[in-house]
Amino acid sequence: MVRVTCVVAALCLTGASAFTAPSTPFSAPRLLRATRTGPLHASASEEQDNISRRDVGSRLAILASSFATTFTSPVDLALAADDEGAGKLIEFEVQNLDGIEGNTGKIVIRTRPDWAPKGAQRFEELTEQKFWNNCRIFRVLPGFVAQFGINGDPQTQAVWRSRALTDDPVKVTNARGTIVFATAGPNTRTTQIFINTRDQGNSFLDKQGFSPFGEVVSGMDVVDKFYSGYGEGAPSGKGPNQGLIQAKGNEYLEKSYSKLSFFSSATFK
């Protein structure tokens, strides 16, 4: 299972302020995941030589109980269990890694309806509709996020733009490898997605309502090779303009941003 951690910036769609990493240093994020510290690490003073077999058995039982207790919160349970609550596995074929034609790879995403049922269902629905085929990963900010989810066909994209989802509550942190919908505010999720890529995760996004609905279970090394040379999108940077992607699709991107990595296919495993 991908171990998730926490990152920086506000992930928003066209029409809202672009999400950008804060300019000031941020404190170490709190990792919302199960840990084996505490009751499983007894001090030397507690390890007495003169312990009866009965005492050993009793302590083992206490330790086992304590270990189980560390996985009792909803967040800990979701992050600790490999299969419980898991949804579907989806394999993405990726082209243009590092902006090089013919450089390919694969990533596997697992949806987590136990984390965010509405988001997971929408992602699976889009996969069934082959929405991701030839989608460009148009916003890649190393150590923060990789964003995609505007269809290369403007007519297809227009259909989904009117199908906004109501929000899922945030049950797990925005750790590295988690998959999340970008938004333009409350209840505005449609098709745009980002993958958290910061090693420490993007926990500051949790309080902003960004609810992970899945995770990369294989291929984060591939995600790290998504082409990032264009930087932040317009108007803040020199990267693709989301409004023009919506209006012109891949015609615009292939002409002006040909090095972008993209998905050639996405299939259920």
Side-chain angles (χ1 to χ4, degrees):
M1 172 178 181
V2 170
R3 289 296 183 190
V4 288
T5 37
C6 315
V7 202
V8 201
L11 300 162
C12 306
L13 303 175
T14 304
S17 58
F19 42 64
T20 54
S23 57
T24 55
F26 49 92
S27 59
R30 181 168 61 95
L31 303 184
L32 302 180
R33 65 177 181 184
T35 174
R36 298 192 181 196
T37 59
L40 294 185
H41 292 273
S43 66
S45 63
E46 293 174 317
E47 298 297 334
Q48 303 297 327
D49 292 332
N50 299 322
I51 298 177
S52 68
R53 290 176 181 266
R54 178 177 298 176
D55 288 335
V56 171
S58 176
R59 292 193 180 197
L60 286 174
I62 292 171
L63 291 177
S65 176
S66 299
F67 179 76
T69 302
T70 64
F71 297 99
T72 54
S73 76
V75 169
D76 287 346
L77 285 169
L79 298 178
D82 283 337
D83 297 315
E84 184 178 356
K88 297 181 179 180
L89 290 172
I90 303 167
E91 183 176 82
F92 286 75
E93 293 273 356
V94 190
Q95 308 291 324
N96 272 19
L97 293 177
D98 293 321
I100 301 172
E101 185 176 357
N103 194 10
T104 66
K106 296 179 180 180
I107 66 172
V108 177
I109 290 173
R110 175 171 58 187
T111 58
R112 294 300 302 249
D114 56 331
W115 293 354
K118 298 173 187 176
Q121 183 179 18
R122 169 60 61 87
F123 193 78
E124 292 172 2
E125 181 182 7
L126 290 168
T127 303
E128 291 171 354
Q129 297 295 322
K130 301 188 182 302
F131 180 90
W132 311 118
N133 292 8
N134 294 313
C135 270
R136 267 56 183 174
I137 302 135
F138 60 83
R139 184 172 185 247
V140 181
L141 305 179
F144 179 36
V145 296
Q147 187 174 345
F148 60 94
I150 301 178
N151 193 270
D153 179 358
Q155 292 185 340
T156 298
Q157 184 62 35
V159 171
W160 289 96
R161 287 188 69 182
S162 62
R163 299 181 182 180
L165 294 174
T166 54
D167 292 335
D168 285 303
V170 179
K171 292 185 178 180
V172 297
T173 189
N174 280 261
R176 174 174 165 84
T178 50
I179 315 298
V180 191
F181 275 92
T183 75
N187 304 313
T188 58
R189 298 179 300 171
T190 55
T191 64
Q192 288 201 47
I193 307 294
F194 64 91
I195 302 173
N196 284 301
T197 60
R198 182 170 179 257
D199 287 341
Q200 296 88 347
N202 291 319
S203 61
F204 76 97
L205 296 176
D206 302 347
K207 293 182 179 180
Q208 297 182 32
F210 291 98
S211 178
F213 65 85
E215 58 189 339
V216 176
V217 295
S218 175
M220 276 305 292
D221 58 325
V222 174
V223 172
D224 290 334
K225 294 179 181 179
F226 290 171
Y227 185 71
S228 60
Y230 297 124
E232 181 59 276
S236 301
K238 297 181 179 180
N241 182 300
Q242 290 191 34
L244 290 177
I245 306 174
Q246 300 270 5
K248 299 183 178 181
N250 283 348
E251 178 184 354
Y252 160 65
L253 293 176
E254 291 171 357
K255 180 179 179 180
S256 302
Y257 300 95
S258 60
K259 290 187 177 182
L260 288 176
S261 301
F262 64 93
F263 302 123
S264 55
S265 66
T267 55
F268 291 103
K269 296 192 68 176

